[in-house]
Amino acid sequence: MILGITGAFGCGKSTVLRFFAARSWRVFDADSVCKSLYDSGEKDVLDAVRIHFGAAAFTPDGRVNPAVLGQAAFRDPAKMAALTGVLYPKLTEKLEREIAECRRERRSGAFEIPLLYENKFESRFDAVLTVWAPESLRRERLRGRNFTDADVDRRSRMQWSAETKLELADYAVINTGEPEDLAAQLREFAAAADLG
């Protein structure tokens, strides 16, 4: 199975991805891929960051600072659009290569993509799994990662709602913060997926 994983900011998508990695599924993390593009030194990526975000988005040694860049991008939708216009073609190319590898190897793959529906990626997958958590819990988790409520609000405005993603998904898991409960849901899903 080639599985797309999505959900709102702070719902626990990375925890779900680690579950599949532990089962030897091939895994893909869109956020990590985008960060790797900053580290790659590709001129068009670095130029886009420099033009739209300036020197403040770079560390003293000339590397992109993803934390500073993220804060700035989520404050300005036009700058975010300019940045994703450079990153997303590269992300899409890598995504398609990884999916093709999974199919060629006949290996299950789990692909975590926060903006899966927003970018119309769903048709690339055999199924989409949405991870859902209550907003209050998502905010609590994100505060623990030093995000303010204003940060969460800005990021949430650039994504479809948690409820919309839940309605659109083929499958869903509810992550209320109890690790064993989430693991049980994922084991049940994985067992069914492996049979299919």
Side-chain angles (χ1 to χ4, degrees), residues 38 44-53 69 73 76-90 158:
Y38 301 137
D44 56 344
V45 173
L46 297 181
D47 284 350
V49 173
R50 195 169 286 108
I51 289 166
H52 296 288
F53 300 94
L69 181 63
D76 188 331
K79 288 183 177 181
M80 174 64 87
L83 184 61
T84 57
V86 175
L87 294 178
Y88 266 68
K90 297 174 185 294
M158 293 190 184

Side-chain angles (χ1 to χ4, degrees), residues 127-156:
V128 174
L129 175 74
T130 287
V131 187
W132 185 89
E135 182 179 358
S136 58
L137 180 56
R138 287 188 276 119
R139 285 181 181 273
E140 181 184 325
R141 289 173 181 156
L142 291 164
R143 285 184 200 113
R145 290 164 49 191
N146 296 317
F147 289 100
T148 67
D149 283 342
D151 293 332
V152 175
D153 290 341
R154 278 190 290 269
R155 289 174 184 245
S156 296

Side-chain angles (χ1 to χ4, degrees), residues 5-20 29 31 111-115 129-132 138 141 145 159 165 173 175 182 186:
I5 298 170
T6 195
F9 189 40
C11 66
K13 297 181 296 296
S14 296
T15 301
V16 169
L17 192 68
R18 285 193 295 273
F19 171 88
F20 290 104
D29 176 350
D31 285 346
F111 294 74
E112 180 196 341
I113 306 175
L115 302 180
L129 175 74
T130 287
V131 187
W132 185 89
R138 287 188 276 119
R141 289 173 181 156
R145 290 164 49 191
Q159 297 187 1
K165 294 181 181 192
V173 290
N175 184 10
L182 179 62
L186 289 167

